[in-house]
Amino acid sequence: MSSAFQASLEGGLARITQGQPLEVAFGSQVTLRNVFGKPVPCWLHSHQDTYPMIYENGRGSSHQQQVTCYPFKDVNNWWIVKDPRRHQLVVSSPPRPVRHGDMVQLVHGMTTRSLNTHDVAAPLSPHSQEVSCYIDYNISMPAQNLWRLEIVNRGSDTDVWKTILSEVRFVHVNTSAVLKLSGAHLPDWGYRQLEIVGEKLSRGYHGSTVWNVEEHRYGASQEQRERERELHSPAQVDVSRNLSFMARFSELQAQIHLLGNIVIWVSGSLALAIYALLSLWYLLRRRRNVHDLPQDAWLRWVLAGALCAGGWAVNYLPFFLMEKTLFLYHYLPALTFQILLLPVVLQHISDHLCRSQLQRSIFSALVVAWYSSACHVSNTLRPLTYGDKSLSPHELKALRWKDSWDILIRKH
């Protein structure tokens, strides 16, 4: 191949992998997304909580650390690909790529416990094996944390595991069980996340047993505290500036975040709470024949509640009671009715609760301050919502107000 062709090929792969390392190596930090994507797209996940000792149906568990599939980006989705023959959890120099057929251990980044399965029934799928992160309780239950990597879409038996491009299965060495998404929602003790099992009778290709690396970086921190800071840091994506129009359009959409206005969201919830408390107060006093409001004002207040508070309840409560995973769009109709209720409550406080001119002046000043803060938050987060201003990596990190916000940061 000519140097020009190689440069073109490398540029194309960089766009596919979004500038992340192409080849997965021992020591790589990865997030693993299930290819099946049903009932919702999700990532292999673990957290500190353990399986209950006894389930509601009377069956027992290993009381090991839970492993689930989680439908949101989270720091607990990161895993380290470890060489079973070595202790290090960093990528060596030069990197040693993982190939089809290699034995690996998957170490959970935040808890440093290894992915494990054994002859214990899964919580919701009793004919499959429980998958956990191994905790050494110093009892006769040894770790069984070796997995053989199978690249499903390989071209040859020496293929290297690649970011995004490779579809892989993890076959348990001791039991031949395959890591699988069952799709069942765990009870409250599992935070309604999706069940992961070891499927012993898996034959052939099925998306629920296939995974691919969506996010990838070469681990550089051997100490756990430094590694946790590394895992919490935003993904650093190095994307070439020489992009086609469609590639630039696609990249632009990945950098737009529908955050809404936090001040308005919180204010809407407070308005609903204030409306409920005031309504209860008025009803209790009316039972004692104390009428705080003129009849026409009371009817307007009740009508506003029927429309706005009732609209919120109709659009929110059904989703609140659902057991499936919920997303932002489930809450937006309810939020609309909350926002409609907000000026009703503000006007009511000004007209009927502020008795003197001084109280009205103070309340008006508070409303102006509230409105100014809403405008300030909107203007501050505007680059994330509309992408109309170029920000430096430092400025982007300053807008990451919560650790759970995943913001794409380009390196130039």
Side-chain angles (χ1 to χ4, degrees):
M1 295 186 294
S2 68
S3 58
F5 181 80
Q6 287 180 335
S8 175
L9 180 61
E10 290 173 359
L13 290 174
R15 293 186 191 116
I16 293 173
T17 62
Q18 297 182 333
Q20 304 173 101
L22 175 63
E23 295 185 346
V24 178
F26 289 109
S28 284
Q29 298 172 356
V30 300
T31 62
L32 295 165
R33 179 170 174 162
N34 189 264
V35 170
F36 191 46
K38 294 180 180 179
V40 291
C42 62
W43 291 263
L44 190 66
H45 175 96
S46 186
H47 40 244
Q48 290 280 2
D49 300 76
T50 59
Y51 292 108
M53 287 286 288
I54 302 295
Y55 298 125
E56 292 180 355
N57 59 11
R59 291 192 297 110
S61 79
S62 66
H63 201 46
Q64 299 282 325
Q65 182 172 301
Q66 296 175 20
V67 172
T68 66
C69 207
Y70 188 50
F72 300 99
K73 298 293 186 70
D74 188 84
V75 69
N76 281 310
N77 297 349
W78 284 94
W79 299 81
I80 302 170
V81 182
K82 181 181 176 295
D83 185 346
R85 299 165 297 180
R86 303 190 181 188
H87 292 292
Q88 66 184 34
L89 294 176
V90 297
V91 175
S92 60
S93 182
R96 294 182 299 116
V98 183
R99 300 180 182 275
H100 171 76
D102 281 351
M103 304 293 180
V104 299
Q105 290 173 317
L106 292 177
V107 179
H108 187 239
M110 294 301 293
T111 62
T112 68
R113 290 176 176 145
S114 299
L115 189 72
N116 183 85
T117 189
H118 43 205
D119 193 17
V120 175
L124 302 181
S125 307
H127 298 293
S128 300
Q129 293 182 179
E130 173 194 270
V131 175
S132 63
C133 278
Y134 181 74
I135 302 174
D136 186 2
Y137 287 122
N138 197 24
I139 58 176
S140 57
M141 186 180 287
Q144 299 184 41
N145 54 18
L146 290 178
W147 301 83
R148 185 177 70 254
L149 179 79
E150 288 188 357
I151 302 178
V152 177
N153 60 342
R154 64 187 181 277
S156 70
D157 287 343
T158 60
D159 271 12
V160 172
W161 186 9
K162 293 184 175 66
T163 305
I164 295 178
L165 302 175
S166 295
E167 297 184 345
V168 302
R169 300 200 314 168
F170 297 97
V171 181
H172 192 236
V173 172
N174 296 75
T175 64
S176 298
V178 178
L179 189 69
K180 178 184 177 181
L181 167 66
S182 78
H185 285 270
L186 294 169
D188 289 341
W189 54 256
Y191 304 103
R192 299 291 173 181
Q193 296 173 18
L194 300 175
E195 182 190 41
I196 294 292
V197 302
E199 181 60 73
K200 298 183 70 170
L201 302 177
S202 180
R203 297 185 180 90
Y205 177 96
H206 190 274
S208 60
T209 65
V210 180
W211 307 81
N212 72 352
V213 172
E214 185 172 86
E215 296 172 282
H216 177 208
R217 56 187 164 205
Y218 282 167
S221 303
Q222 184 66 27
E223 295 296 326
Q224 178 60 14
R225 184 170 297 179
E226 295 178 3
R227 188 183 306 118
E228 288 181 8
R229 284 198 293 267
E230 188 175 44
L231 294 171
H232 272 106
S233 64
Q236 300 283 339
V237 180
D238 183 11
V239 184
S240 169
R241 285 183 175 275
N242 185 25
L243 301 177
S244 66
F245 169 78
M246 289 306 298
R248 283 185 181 275
F249 180 79
S250 176
E251 180 196 347
L252 176 66
Q253 306 318 306
Q255 297 183 69
I256 303 303
H257 300 259
L258 182 61
L259 289 177
N261 191 309
I262 297 171
V263 174
I264 299 297
W265 284 61
V266 174
S267 301
S269 298
L270 287 176
L272 183 66
I274 291 171
Y275 181 88
L277 291 174
L278 284 176
S279 297
L280 181 62
W281 173 255
Y282 291 147
L283 286 172
L284 289 174
R285 286 173 62 82
R286 287 175 76 87
R287 285 183 64 87
R288 290 167 172 79
N289 206 29
V290 178
H291 299 271
D292 298 287
L293 301 175
Q295 187 62 20
D296 59 337
W298 170 249
L299 291 176
R300 284 197 301 272
W301 180 253
V302 172
L303 181 61
L307 175 64
C308 301
W312 171 86
V314 167
N315 285 278
Y316 177 78
L317 294 180
F319 295 116
F320 179 79
L321 298 173
M322 283 185 180
E323 295 186 356
K324 70 175 187 177
T325 302
L326 300 177
F327 297 95
L328 180 64
Y329 59 80
H330 290 103
Y331 300 105
L332 289 180
L335 174 67
T336 302
F337 284 98
Q338 275 191 334
I339 295 173
L340 289 174
L341 184 63
L342 185 56
V344 173
V345 171
L346 292 176
Q347 186 68 47
H348 181 82
I349 293 174
S350 177
D351 291 346
H352 300 286
L353 301 185
C354 294
R355 305 291 184 180
S356 66
Q357 184 60 42
L358 177 61
Q359 289 177 339
R360 291 191 182 91
S361 299
I362 293 174
F363 181 72
S364 297
L366 291 175
V367 170
V368 170
W370 164 80
Y371 182 73
S372 299
S373 66
C375 291
H376 174 71
V377 169
S378 176
N379 187 61
T380 301
L381 298 179
R382 181 183 177 90
L384 289 181
T385 305
Y386 297 102
D388 59 350
K389 178 182 176 183
S390 179
L391 298 178
S392 67
H394 177 74
E395 290 172 321
L396 274 174
K397 288 180 181 179
L399 295 180
R400 190 169 181 254
W401 292 356
K402 295 186 65 177
D403 290 339
S404 58
W405 292 8
D406 291 318
I407 298 177
L408 181 70
I409 298 179
R410 287 184 54 158
K411 295 189 299 181
H412 299 310

